[in-house]
């Protein structure tokens, strides 16, 4: 079997970047997305911070009160999961259009198997994906390419932000050796301190530890670590069953608050959507309703059902509940309404 060529793609400071795009007035300022800092007494944590805020030492999972101490003048924003999920779906669609085998591992991160290509061609693909994500979503990401998932991921981390780094098999050793052990996926703070106690700080030093010692320290994971230090990772890219989304939208000729018209059009969209789901034999779980108000202000509300369903009446009922919440919460005239479901 020839080389595998694995792509790892990860959006740069994902939540914060989306917020920056949605709120251009914040561009260039430190942005922290996460729990409410409540003037420094807030509980909860930072989800992510943009690169500007990271300069102050702010990072994901840090207590929000600490972030406030480090940079009280940062823009603190709540997590808008619905929006990030929608953007994530768009991005995954772009990746899937280029790469046949994709494994999505989180909202902003995926692996692709490009083994059918030549190395240079794979790099060109990655460049095109980056370009397409920029053109369509105006968001930047970083790509790593390597002979396996681990090398591709480490390459991606090293190339952030807005980078593209390809590490061919003959360069893997040279690439990994000087890195600190925490750069290897799977070595967290605890693993790192165990290794530091062994006077192991870099991957090069990690390779000097015998397999037996790694087993003593890490149990069965010791073998895996032994391989990773040598750039070996056999984990395949496993494509999930693709989740597609179907949506229906309507833009009004004139922004409106006419309840009869709104309900009538919403019901029509809802019926169209549910009959398409039925015709295609899909089932659904998540339902999202979108409303764009005067001034292009767009909001979404979502509901995820307890279980997957193909009950049309349930879909229409849940969608209507979300829509009615919009009407009662926001009194501005409405320009566009839409319904979307993720189907399998
Ligand atoms: P990451 O890809 O780990 O981080 P990131 O995209 O913010 O930054 P980077 O440029 O280093 O990739 O995570 C993706 C999103 O997941 C992130 O934007 C916010 C969310 N997240 C949390 O909510 N909590 C966390 O602890 C982490 C690590 C991420
Ligand atoms: Mg990311």
């Amino acid at each position: 079997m020839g080389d595998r060529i694995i792509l790892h793609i990860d959006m740069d400071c994902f939540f914060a970047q989306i917020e920056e795009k949605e709120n251009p007035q914040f561009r260039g300022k430190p942005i922290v997305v996460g729990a409410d800092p409540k003037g420094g007494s807030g509980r909860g944590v930072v989800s992510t911070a943009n690169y500007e805020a990271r300069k102050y030492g702010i990072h994901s999972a840090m207590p929000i009160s600490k972030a406030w101490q480090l940079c009280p003048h940062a823009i603190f924003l709540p997590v808008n999961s619905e929006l990030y999920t929608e953007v994530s779906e768009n991005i995954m669609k772009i990746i899937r259009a280029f790469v046949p085998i994709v494994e999505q591992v989180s909202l902003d991160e995926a692996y692709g198997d490009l083994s059918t290509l030549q190395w240079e061609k794979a790099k060109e693909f990655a460049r095109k994906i980056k370009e397409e994500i920029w053109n369509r979503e105006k968001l930047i990401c970083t790509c790593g390419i390597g002979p396996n998932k681990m090398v591709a991921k480490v390459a991606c981390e090293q190339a952030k932000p807005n980078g593209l780094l390809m590490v061919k098999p003959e360069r893997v050793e040279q690439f990994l050796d000087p890195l600190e052990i925490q750069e290897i996926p799977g070595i967290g703070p605890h693993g790192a301190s165990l290794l530091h106690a062994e006077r192991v700080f870099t991957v090069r030093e990690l390779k000097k530890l015998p397999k037996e010692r790694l087993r003593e320290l890490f149990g069965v994971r010791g073998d895996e670590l032994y391989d990773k230090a040598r750039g070996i990772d056999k984990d395949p890219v496993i494509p999930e069953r693709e989740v597609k989304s179907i949506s229906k939208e309507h833009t009004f000729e004139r922004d409106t608050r006419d309840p009869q018209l709104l309900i009538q059009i919403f019901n029509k969209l809802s019926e169209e959507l549910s009959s398409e789901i039925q015709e295609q034999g899909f089932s659904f779980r998540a339902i999202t309703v979108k409303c764009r108000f005067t001034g292009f202000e767009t909001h979404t509300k979502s509901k995820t059902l307890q279980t997957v369903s193909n009950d049309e009446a349930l879909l229409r009922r849940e969608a209507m509940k979300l829509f009615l919440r919009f009407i009662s919460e926001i009194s501005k005239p409405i320009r566009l309404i839409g319904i979307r479901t993720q189907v399998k």
Side-chain angles (χ1 to χ4, degrees):
M1 200 181 86
D3 288 340
R4 285 198 300 154
I5 303 181
I6 308 299
L7 166 74
H8 182 254
I9 179 159
D10 187 290
M11 302 303 296
D12 300 331
C13 56
F14 188 48
F15 295 1
Q17 204 192 156
I18 296 174
E19 293 296 349
E20 217 170 289
K21 182 184 122 186
E22 292 288 308
N23 307 282
Q25 72 274 24
F26 299 152
R27 196 157 291 153
K29 297 190 174 149
I31 298 175
V32 179
V33 180
D36 185 349
K38 297 187 177 160
S41 65
R43 295 153 70 85
V45 295
V46 172
S47 292
T48 196
N50 68 354
Y51 284 80
E52 207 49 45
R54 290 182 195 191
K55 288 182 192 161
Y56 295 83
I58 298 172
H59 58 75
S60 294
M62 167 183 277
I64 199 80
S65 52
K66 177 86 189 289
W68 175 270
Q69 273 172 21
L70 290 170
C71 186
H73 67 276
I75 313 281
F76 287 86
L77 298 170
V79 178
N80 183 352
S81 305
E82 285 153 13
L83 174 64
Y84 312 149
T85 305
E86 193 178 333
V87 175
S88 165
E89 281 173 20
N90 295 344
I91 285 161
M92 293 301 154
K93 251 185 227 160
I94 296 174
I95 299 173
R96 286 177 203 286
F98 284 90
V99 186
I101 302 175
V102 174
E103 178 180 345
Q104 182 179 347
V105 284
S106 74
L107 272 187
D108 84 326
E109 186 185 350
Y111 289 99
D113 193 322
L114 294 174
S115 305
T116 53
L117 304 177
Q118 303 289 328
W119 284 92
E120 290 309 319
K121 195 83 189 151
K123 195 169 181 182
E124 204 178 302
F125 258 60
R127 219 178 272 126
K128 282 199 184 134
I129 293 171
K130 274 170 68 66
E131 200 176 290
E132 193 73 0
I133 292 177
W134 174 255
N135 289 341
R136 297 242 204 125
E137 298 292 324
K138 291 285 173 284
L139 292 172
I140 56 168
C141 63
T142 299
C143 293
I145 303 172
N148 56 51
K149 282 172 146 179
M150 192 262 306
V151 174
K153 186 176 170 78
V154 178
C156 178
E157 285 302 321
Q158 296 297 311
K160 272 181 174 293
N162 201 14
L164 165 56
L165 179 62
M166 180 161 86
V167 181
K168 290 188 184 178
E170 61 272 20
R171 297 283 302 266
V172 168
E173 190 175 6
Q174 192 184 355
F175 170 66
L176 292 177
D177 272 1
L179 297 181
E180 294 194 11
I181 46 173
Q182 295 95 305
E183 307 285 349
I184 299 295
I187 304 187
H190 178 62
S193 65
L194 289 178
L195 291 167
H196 289 165
E198 302 282 314
R199 301 193 156 276
V200 168
F201 297 90
T202 64
V203 174
R204 186 181 287 115
E205 289 162 348
L206 178 58
K207 286 200 295 193
K208 295 199 180 116
L209 280 191
K211 208 179 233 181
E212 292 65 39
R213 184 70 191 128
L214 283 171
R215 278 187 193 149
E216 281 163 19
L217 290 170
F218 294 95
V220 280
R221 283 189 46 237
D223 289 32
E224 205 179 293
L225 218 55
Y226 183 88
D227 284 346
K228 280 184 176 174
R230 286 156 183 79
I232 299 166
D233 171 23
K234 299 215 162 65
D235 200 17
V237 176
I238 303 169
E240 336 75 68
R241 189 168 168 196
E242 196 179 340
V243 178
K244 291 208 298 180
S245 77
I246 323 183
S247 58
K248 300 285 165 201
E249 286 187 356
H250 178 88
T251 306
F252 295 98
E253 302 236 315
R254 235 178 263 143
D255 298 3
T256 180
R257 282 302 291 191
D258 177 349
Q260 231 179 338
L261 178 65
L262 286 167
I263 301 283
Q264 182 207 332
I265 298 290
F266 191 81
N267 275 332
K268 186 169 147 273
L269 294 178
S270 181
E271 271 164 33
E272 282 173 11
L273 189 77
S274 55
S275 57
E276 187 171 331
I277 288 176
Q278 209 195 29
E279 273 162 25
Q280 310 228 17
F282 285 135
S283 49
F284 57 89
R285 186 152 183 213
I287 304 162
T288 301
V289 169
K290 173 159 90 174
C291 266
R292 179 165 293 149
F293 296 89
T294 290
F296 248 78
E297 184 185 326
T298 309
H299 295 267
T300 59
K301 287 188 190 295
S302 297
K303 161 99 186 180
T304 303
L305 304 174
Q306 298 273 320
T307 55
V308 174
S309 166
N310 54 11
D311 180 347
E312 277 185 72
L314 176 68
L315 172 75
R316 291 211 291 269
R317 206 164 52 237
E318 291 299 336
M320 182 55 86
K321 275 196 219 160
L322 294 170
F323 184 53
L324 292 174
R325 273 176 52 207
F326 264 130
I327 297 193
S328 65
E329 286 171 21
I330 305 177
S331 57
K332 292 181 186 167
I334 295 176
R335 176 187 166 85
L336 170 150
I337 54 179
I339 318 178
R340 185 163 53 90
T341 52
Q342 285 184 347
V343 292
K344 276 191 179 179

